[in-house]
Amino acid sequence: MKFNLRRAFGGLAFRVAALLALALLPIGMIAVYQTDKIEVELARRDEAALLALTAEAASAEERLIRAAFGSLSAFAAAFPQVKAIPNACDKIFADFVAANPQFSFAGYVSRDGIVSCGSAGKGTDFSAYRTYIEMLADPKPQSVVNMQAPISKTSVITMSNPIMTTGAFDGYVTISLPHSQIGQGIELLSPLRPLELITFNELGEVLSAEGGLEAVTSHLPQFTPLRSLAGGRPKAFSGFDGLGKPRVFAVVPVLENNVYAIGSWSPAEVGGTSALPSLVFPALMWLTSFAVAYLAVHRLAIKHIRRLGGDIEQFERTGYFSPAKSTFGMPAEMRDIDISWHRLAETVVSDRTKLQDVIRDKTVLLQEVHHRVKNNLQLISSIISLKTRAASTAEAKLALKGVQARVMSMATVHRALYETTTESRVRADELLRGIVRSILEVGATTSLPIAVQQFYDPVTLYPDQAVPLSLLASEALTNALKYSGHALGNPPSLAIRLALGDNSTAFFEVENSKGIKLISADQSEGTGLGSALIAAFAEQIGGTIQIIDEPDRYWLRLDFPIVNFQPAPVDAFIMPAD
């Protein structure tokens, strides 16, 4: 079945579903608002939980880093005294690393960038390293990442503290913390909460990452520099990571103004807020209610209405209807309509059958009437023919032939009426063919052949126009034969035409040649009765007559409208006086 857009969106099912959806729209908007509030609250809870978990997970690293910076402060305070004792400097740093195996190196770097003493690597030159350069420019405690430490031979976090002598920079003490020692504080938490922990310094440089420094950018906030997160109180926020996925972040200070930790997790991984917008679920519920309403109305009403409409259309097209089907599952109102429709259809069929019987009887009776009238007129024509043969004068014979022609014209009309299949209508073209044939047979008074041309369009008329047209044609043809002639050397000619015009009109034409008359002058002398009859018949049919009378031809044309049947009054036709 071809999809009809107007029927689909203008039908009852769509309208009822649309009204129901409109009624549910405020509830849906409230649901959207409530869902949004819940998601905001869940996001806040996620942020608070992540902030606490990040602080808890960073506590182990915080202890290590704080211990390192505490030791550096102690070394920096005691170093002037230690430096004066021979071989004491190396022993202090070696003992410190031995007692604290989480650190890989501890030592002193002199002002010229050389390791003067330490747990290992004595004499190593650090003058080209960034820590030494920054210490010369701005001596202060700092922490940096060294991916390949020259002494520890691994990736470490180097924490340094300057040593000042009489206000001047005299070198710095440093401790290295390998990355392998970082991240152990959240091993027990990770199975429950997939936390990604990263530490960074006040410059925004990443110091450590639980998953390794190679993939660290995928767990950092997108378009948010780490340096902007340094400083201030602990904070939590939602955003997107480097891969563009939604993520919750929390930042806590590990060492005030120096080292910070940022933890993150995906809300979907911990059962937090949904990655779908808050509008999706209410919208799905709203669309579901719309679909349920549409299908319910379609099943309860539209399906039965369409079946009823199909039965009515079939009845209109064929005149027959299907028997009543099972009404199981049909609503009571639709069942009542279906029952009433079948009762109405049965009544219409019964009445139509009775009416067809009446029409059939009327048609048979009317055809019988026309048949009997035709037989009586033919009998009258036969009597007139006998009288014509018995007439002693030519004038009498000519007058009787004229009467016979008129009688045969009316008989032809009645024969056409009982032979027609159009029920009280007659084909004027077929009627005129019969009349012309009869007139030519009865009215031929000369042996000279006449060239007859006939042109007919299919024109259907009711009797109140067919009868006067046939009588007018009979008079016109009789006059044409009576006054026809021919030029010397040319045969006489007669042309008859019936054609359709514009706007339900038609015209009838008769044209005959003139010249040497076919019959004697006394026989062709007329009384004017034929012309008077033609005018009367034209008035009765509602037409107009045009005549052209020239030396070589006579042309008569009747233009008339084709009208519906209207019973003519009793005095519709009055025979003109002779």
Side-chain angles (χ1 to χ4, degrees):
M1 182 182 293
K2 187 177 179 180
F3 179 73
N4 190 323
L5 185 65
R6 183 176 181 182
R7 183 175 182 179
F9 291 101
L12 178 62
F14 180 82
R15 293 187 179 187
V16 171
L19 288 175
L20 180 59
L22 185 63
L24 293 176
L25 185 59
I27 300 176
M29 294 177 67
I30 294 174
V32 171
Y33 175 74
Q34 293 292 340
T35 304
D36 186 67
K37 286 190 65 176
I38 291 172
E39 288 199 352
V40 170
E41 183 63 28
L42 288 175
R44 290 177 180 174
R45 292 183 181 181
D46 273 350
E47 292 171 359
L50 179 60
L51 192 62
L53 191 60
T54 301
E56 183 180 354
S59 60
E61 294 187 25
E62 180 182 3
R63 287 193 295 272
L64 289 173
I65 294 174
R66 284 187 179 276
F69 274 101
S71 300
L72 287 174
S73 298
F75 286 143
F79 193 74
Q81 291 78 17
V82 173
K83 185 178 180 182
I85 303 173
N87 300 322
C89 180
D90 291 333
K91 187 175 185 307
I92 290 175
F93 287 120
D95 291 343
F96 174 78
V97 171
N100 299 279
Q102 67 269 27
F103 301 117
S104 60
F105 170 74
Y108 165 73
V109 180
S110 63
R111 180 178 178 82
D112 56 3
I114 304 298
V115 178
S116 299
C117 64
S119 61
K122 189 175 181 179
T124 305
D125 187 0
F126 281 94
S127 60
Y129 282 75
R130 193 185 76 179
T131 304
Y132 175 74
I133 296 172
E134 290 180 354
M135 280 292 184
L136 286 177
D138 184 19
K140 65 177 182 179
Q142 59 178 282
S143 57
V144 295
V145 173
N146 196 335
M147 298 300 294
Q148 187 62 40
I151 299 175
S152 300
K153 306 301 183 182
T154 185
S155 174
V156 298
I157 300 175
T158 300
M159 291 158 284
S160 305
N161 199 27
I163 296 176
M164 309 298 291
T165 303
T166 64
F169 176 66
D170 192 36
Y172 62 91
V173 287
T174 180
I175 295 176
S176 297
L177 176 64
H179 280 107
S180 59
Q181 298 296 322
I182 299 174
Q184 299 177 4
I186 58 173
E187 289 179 354
L188 298 177
L189 301 174
S190 296
L192 301 177
R193 290 295 184 95
L195 175 68
E196 299 290 342
L197 188 66
I198 299 171
T199 60
F200 61 97
N201 60 18
E202 77 280 4
L203 298 178
E205 299 172 337
V206 176
L207 301 178
S208 66
E210 178 200 358
L213 297 177
E214 295 78 9
V216 68
T217 55
S218 62
H219 296 127
L220 293 177
Q222 192 178 41
F223 309 123
T224 304
L226 287 178
R227 188 168 187 173
S228 65
L229 300 176
R233 303 176 60 183
K235 61 179 73 68
F237 59 93
S238 298
F240 295 91
D241 60 18
L243 301 178
K245 296 180 179 179
R247 210 162 181 86
V248 182
F249 301 92
V251 179
V252 297
V254 175
L255 190 63
E256 194 69 29
N257 299 325
N258 198 292
V259 180
Y260 301 87
I262 179 170
S264 67
W265 65 30
S266 172
E269 292 177 354
V270 296
T273 56
S274 172
L276 294 175
S278 60
L279 184 63
V280 171
F281 182 72
L284 289 176
M285 294 298 295
W286 183 76
L287 290 175
T288 302
S289 65
F290 180 88
V292 170
Y294 184 90
L295 294 176
V297 174
H298 184 274
R299 179 170 181 79
L300 293 176
I302 302 302
K303 180 178 70 173
H304 306 296
I305 292 175
R306 287 182 179 173
R307 192 192 77 179
L308 182 60
D311 291 344
I312 294 175
E313 183 178 356
Q314 177 188 1
F315 182 72
E316 179 186 11
R317 186 176 62 254
T318 64
Y320 298 96
F321 62 95
S322 302
K325 300 177 182 178
S326 174
T327 58
F328 178 77
M330 185 182 294
E333 294 81 1
M334 298 301 302
R335 185 164 55 249
D336 293 341
I337 294 175
D338 187 73
I339 293 173
S340 299
W341 141 247
H342 280 91
R343 287 177 180 172
L344 176 62
E346 291 173 357
T347 303
V348 170
V349 170
S350 176
D351 292 345
R352 186 179 60 187
T353 302
K354 294 178 182 178
L355 182 61
Q356 287 176 344
D357 292 340
V358 172
I359 293 174
R360 190 179 300 108
D361 294 341
K362 171 182 173 295
T363 301
V364 172
L365 179 60
L366 186 61
Q367 288 180 339
E368 180 64 21
V369 169
H370 288 305
H371 186 97
R372 293 187 179 224
V373 170
K374 187 267 299 182
N375 289 341
N376 292 335
L377 290 175
Q378 284 184 335
L379 179 60
I380 294 172
S381 176
S382 300
I383 295 173
I384 294 174
S385 179
L386 294 175
K387 291 293 184 181
T388 301
R389 294 174 187 173
S392 57
T393 64
E395 292 82 356
K397 289 183 178 182
L398 186 61
L400 288 173
K401 282 188 176 182
V403 173
Q404 186 181 13
R406 295 182 180 101
V407 171
M408 286 304 299
S409 296
M410 289 186 288
T412 302
V413 173
H414 285 283
R415 182 183 64 189
L417 286 173
Y418 84 77
E419 289 179 351
T420 184
T421 59
T422 54
E423 297 183 359
S424 301
R425 287 178 292 171
V426 64
R427 283 280 296 273
D429 51 315
E430 298 175 356
L431 177 64
L432 289 181
R433 283 193 181 93
I435 292 174
V436 171
R437 184 172 56 252
S438 299
I439 294 296
L440 291 178
E441 291 175 356
V442 175
T445 58
T446 176
S447 59
L448 188 63
I450 300 177
V452 180
Q453 294 180 336
Q454 302 182 63
F455 307 94
Y456 301 104
D457 284 345
V459 179
T460 302
L461 300 176
Y462 282 97
D464 59 338
Q465 283 191 308
V467 172
L469 177 63
S470 63
L471 295 176
L472 185 147
S474 176
E475 293 297 331
L477 289 172
T478 301
N479 284 349
L481 292 175
K482 184 176 180 180
Y483 298 107
S484 63
H486 63 96
L488 188 61
N490 294 324
S493 62
L494 178 64
I496 303 102
R497 183 179 184 187
L498 176 68
L500 292 169
D502 299 330
N503 300 323
S504 300
T505 61
F507 62 89
F508 171 70
E509 292 180 345
V510 176
E511 182 179 4
N512 62 277
S513 61
K514 292 176 62 177
I516 302 173
K517 292 187 177 181
L518 298 178
I519 60 178
S520 60
D522 56 345
Q523 289 180 332
S524 63
E525 184 178 354
T527 61
L529 177 61
S531 298
L533 288 174
I534 289 173
F537 294 142
E539 182 179 357
Q540 186 177 10
I541 203 174
T544 57
I545 293 291
Q546 300 180 52
I547 296 176
I548 297 178
D549 191 357
E550 296 177 345
D552 59 342
R553 74 180 182 115
Y554 183 89
W555 176 78
L556 180 146
R557 172 171 172 144
L558 168 68
D559 290 276
F560 63 95
I562 301 176
V563 297
N564 293 329
F565 174 72
Q566 294 179 353
V570 177
D571 56 350
F573 171 68
I574 302 176
M575 182 68 71
D578 189 359

